[in-house]
Amino acid sequence: MNKKILSIIGFMLSGLGAFATTPVYLDESQPLEDRVEDALSRMTLREKINIIHAQSKFSAPGVPRLGIAEIWCTDGPMGVRPEVLWDEWEQAGWTNDSCTAFPSLTALAATWNPDMALLYGKSIGEEARFRNKSVLLGPGINVYRTPLNGRNFEYMGEDPYLISRMVVPYVQGVQSNGVAACVKHFALNNNEINRHTSNPIVDDRTLYEIYLPGFKAAATEGDAWSFMGGYNLFRGEHASYNPILMNQILKGEWDWDGTVISDWGAVHDTKTAVTGGLDMEFGSWTDGLSNGASNAYDNYFFANPYLEGIQNGTYSEDELNDKVRRVLRLTFRTAMNKNRPYGSMGSDEHIQAARQIGEEGVVLLKNDNNLLPIDTNKHKKIAVIGENAIKKMTVGGGSSSLKARYELTPLEGIKNRFGNEAEIVYARGYVGDPSGEYNGVSTGQDLTDNRSPEELTAEAIQVAKDADIVLFIGGLNKSNHQDAEDSDRETMALPYGQDELIMELSKANPNLVVVNISGTGVAMPWVNSVPSILQGWYLGSETGNALASVLAGDANPSGKLPYTYYASLDQVGAHKLGEYPGHKSIDALGNEVMDMPYNEGIYVGYRFIDKNKLKPTFPFGHGLSYTTFAYGDATSPKIFAKGDDKIEVLVPVTNTGDRKGKETVQLYVRDVKSSVDRPVKELKRFKKVELNPGETKDVSFELDRDALSYFDADKHEWVMEPGEFEILIGSSSSDIRSKTKFKAE
């Protein structure tokens, strides 16, 4: 045997010897930080650079030499996105990547039920795990500042406390599958128009009281393993690598050890991204891809430019090592977690979860004369009118677009539920968006209808006149300038002449139910002419069954609005006081940005409504039931003594109707006399209880001092002033049923 062969054998044996015992980084019994440090010590500079940027549209390469796995991301947050080609947005053409479509996150927030959030996260996490994804790009929890935001349907409403209580179990449910939740878009991504240049101008008190609590809860209570920055700027720097948001707050004040992932194409510069707290760069239209270069991903800002900067001394390897540590933690928690369950896709359990969440999220806004639930003994002929009764909604809207395993339309669900008991007739009423395709995914529908608006209206009115009850199913869709990424709505009005059609239908038949399908609030100029109104959201695969169940009374509606249903934009602080969508400005680098002053400050949503004594169409927290609930007197200790950490507030609630039902009891706090300007009241606790007819339960809340505090920007800390506080217990922010007071020392 010649010396060359012996040398090769010797090299191979030496390599085997090096792995004779399991390296620390591969040994899952070892502490996580020990594994991270061991892996880091074995990596070359090039390998460190490689793992902090993409190798394809949705993946990063890991370290093949060391057996460190790739990271694969998938869009959410309402279903697992279908596979696309390696370098392009076009579909990969898989036949086994159809998912369960879950309800929109506004629908989830409307359940006001953290148990539903946990079920949601666990279910979607199982689907992501089954597809072997490491990161689910969601949930989105940006605050609903304006009803015009095109992505409101992806978020969890207007109130920071409600958002914080719903996001934590969602994150925990996802991550129980060994899949990282990627909480987005941190922070102040509250509009889609000018989203790449929008520069919110927000004071610290507003930032900490309104726009950060949900993210803080996700990071510190939910232990989210990754965050995504926004496209927008904050105080002149892009959010994805904003030193205040990422370094000072997220990684500093909150002591968070997870991974900051850029939004796709949100990185614009190597130097500021390196120092601003970004850990992983993903993209679409960044330099490498737009130029069509060979090995395009090597041209990313976190690729060759960063490597060269370290080699020439521009950047320190210490900064790089911190990023690599965070990516390694993410990898060991997800792709290299041998104990994570296998997951499942499109299971019966997921279908049931989607339906249950949908049923519990539907909000009964109005029900005069108890028109609902539908009584087929009286209503033998049911007219269903409106394009949204037949239009599939899981496709479109931007990155949340899905290829659903199936989607049951409202009309199909109504026929399934009532078809044996009543005659069902349908009329289109209006033509909105007849298409059914987005980014290569098709619903298989072609809703083209060449009849004139006059013909469609005439048919709808005649059908309504001949029916015992009319279900108008309309609202918005996922088209541009409606509920869609990258564009905001242009008006609160319903599109396609629906407002006029609804008024005509109300004249044709007094037994009119309007089911509004949307992820955000709409103007309702016809609200006083329509006896029954349901907020139906986008409910995913089980849309038809969930809606029909509520219409029939099989499910007693228990949803509550997670945001204020404004009558007009004059009731919205962002529009009444602000400059939405901002004004053009030139930043320090000579770039054009859109400065957007948040002049309403902490007065977002019902806080603005209360301060200005306005009457919205429907208030925050509103939602009716097919039964009724009575509230007794709330009680609390008279003194919140200095040595006490918390006090208990009790209120008895009774089901005074003849159906089992769920009521969300809401607790608001008012500082009776404060040295600073504070809202009239703020949501600080809520609890959903189920009661049989005639049953009474004592609903208990624990209040700590944090619930009584405001953020003092000068001291940069939360402050509770001693004095008198009032507790307001309500069924909504405007329907206060009981009050109690105490003095905090």
Side-chain angles (χ1 to χ4, degrees), residues 374 382 384-394 407-419 424 426 430 445 471-474 476 515-518 534 536-549 551:
I374 295 172
I382 302 172
V384 179
I385 298 171
E387 180 177 281
N388 283 0
I390 60 172
K391 184 173 177 60
K392 294 182 179 181
M393 295 288 194
T394 55
E407 180 180 352
L408 200 71
T409 66
L411 181 60
E412 290 170 328
I414 290 166
K415 286 181 176 180
N416 289 344
R417 176 57 183 83
F418 296 102
I424 314 294
Y426 174 73
Y430 69 93
Q445 288 187 307
L471 307 178
F472 177 80
I473 303 179
L476 306 180
V515 180
N516 182 61
I517 307 293
S518 72
L534 280 176
W537 316 111
Y538 302 111
L539 299 181
S541 292
E542 282 288 293
T543 293
N545 284 335
L547 281 176
S549 182
L551 290 167

Side-chain angles (χ1 to χ4, degrees), residues 29 58 92 100 116 146 210 213 221 248 253 262 291 294 320 341 409 438 451 474-475 539 643 666 745:
S29 69
F58 283 99
T100 302
M116 289 296 100
T146 164
I210 303 297
E221 297 178 58
Q248 177 182 313
E253 294 176 17
S262 73
N291 291 338
S294 176
L320 173 62
T409 66
Y438 180 85
R451 288 177 292 173
L539 299 181
Q666 301 160 41
E745 296 180 335

Side-chain angles (χ1 to χ4, degrees), residues 100-154:
T100 302
F102 294 92
S104 65
L105 290 193
T106 42
L108 173 62
T111 69
W112 287 60
N113 188 343
D115 290 340
M116 289 296 100
L118 181 64
L119 175 64
Y120 196 124
K122 179 178 179 294
S123 301
I124 195 172
E126 286 172 349
E127 300 223 344
R129 169 63 187 99
F130 187 80
R131 294 263 298 280
N132 204 26
K133 304 303 181 184
S134 311
V135 181
L136 178 78
L137 302 174
I141 58 169
N142 291 104
V143 170
Y144 182 120
R145 179 177 177 249
T146 164
L148 300 188
N149 182 11
R151 277 185 110 163
N152 277 340
F153 72 101
E154 290 189 50

Side-chain angles (χ1 to χ4, degrees), residues 136-242:
L136 178 78
L137 302 174
I141 58 169
N142 291 104
V143 170
Y144 182 120
R145 179 177 177 249
T146 164
L148 300 188
N149 182 11
R151 277 185 110 163
N152 277 340
F153 72 101
E154 290 189 50
Y155 301 149
M156 293 187 180
E158 72 183 33
D159 183 77
Y161 182 76
L162 174 61
I163 293 168
S164 70
R165 293 310 91 206
M166 297 300 286
V167 69
V168 169
Y170 181 106
V171 168
Q172 292 170 334
V174 171
Q175 294 186 170
S176 68
N177 294 282
V179 175
C182 187
V183 184
K184 62 184 190 182
H185 305 86
F186 187 60
L188 300 163
N189 188 170
N190 307 117
N191 52 276
E192 287 298 292
I193 190 172
N194 305 317
R195 64 178 180 169
H196 292 275
T197 58
S198 180
N199 184 37
I201 300 172
V202 185
D203 64 89
D204 272 1
R205 184 181 174 196
T206 299
L207 180 69
Y208 277 81
E209 289 193 14
I210 303 297
Y211 296 103
L212 291 186
F215 289 105
K216 182 179 181 181
T220 62
E221 297 178 58
D223 191 26
W225 294 335
S226 63
F227 265 45
M228 178 187 287
Y231 285 123
N232 58 289
L233 295 89
F234 173 58
R235 295 180 184 168
E237 189 54 84
H238 287 87
S240 281
Y241 39 93
N242 188 285

Side-chain angles (χ1 to χ4, degrees), residues 435-614:
S435 67
E437 184 173 336
Y438 180 85
N439 196 39
V441 177
S442 174
T443 63
Q445 288 187 307
D446 180 0
L447 300 181
T448 300
D449 192 321
N450 295 319
R451 288 177 292 173
S452 68
E454 293 75 18
E455 290 174 301
L456 291 164
T457 298
E459 179 194 46
I461 291 172
Q462 188 58 53
V463 167
K465 286 180 177 179
D466 293 341
D468 298 314
I469 188 171
V470 179
L471 307 178
F472 177 80
I473 303 179
L476 306 180
N477 54 43
K478 301 287 189 69
S479 301
N480 289 339
H481 301 297
Q482 296 195 43
D483 281 318
E485 181 181 2
D486 203 23
S487 67
D488 281 354
R489 297 168 65 199
E490 297 173 337
T491 172
M492 283 185 64
L494 287 176
Y496 316 126
Q498 291 177 79
D499 289 329
E500 295 79 6
L501 177 57
I502 291 170
M503 287 301 300
E504 292 300 316
L505 293 175
S506 71
K507 297 173 186 176
N509 192 323
N511 292 334
L512 174 61
V513 179
V514 171
V515 180
N516 182 61
I517 307 293
S518 72
T520 189
V522 301
M524 293 183 173
W526 33 263
V527 66
N528 294 324
S529 301
V530 175
S532 291
I533 306 172
L534 280 176
Q535 177 62 32
W537 316 111
Y538 302 111
L539 299 181
S541 292
E542 282 288 293
T543 293
N545 284 335
L547 281 176
S549 182
V550 172
L551 290 167
D554 303 333
N556 193 345
S558 63
K560 300 277 188 177
L561 288 176
Y563 52 72
T564 302
Y565 233 95
Y566 304 104
S568 70
L569 290 178
D570 280 343
Q571 296 185 337
V572 185
H575 295 269
K576 184 72 172 177
L577 304 178
E579 302 178 50
Y580 182 90
H583 61 268
K584 291 182 180 179
S585 175
I586 304 298
D587 69 11
L589 298 176
N591 300 313
E592 186 178 281
V593 299
M594 292 293 292
D595 285 342
M596 188 182 296
Y598 281 35
N599 293 331
E600 72 278 13
I602 60 174
Y603 291 98
V604 176
Y606 67 88
R607 291 166 170 81
F608 188 80
I609 295 291
D610 287 349
K611 179 182 177 70
N612 294 282
K613 299 180 180 179
L614 303 173

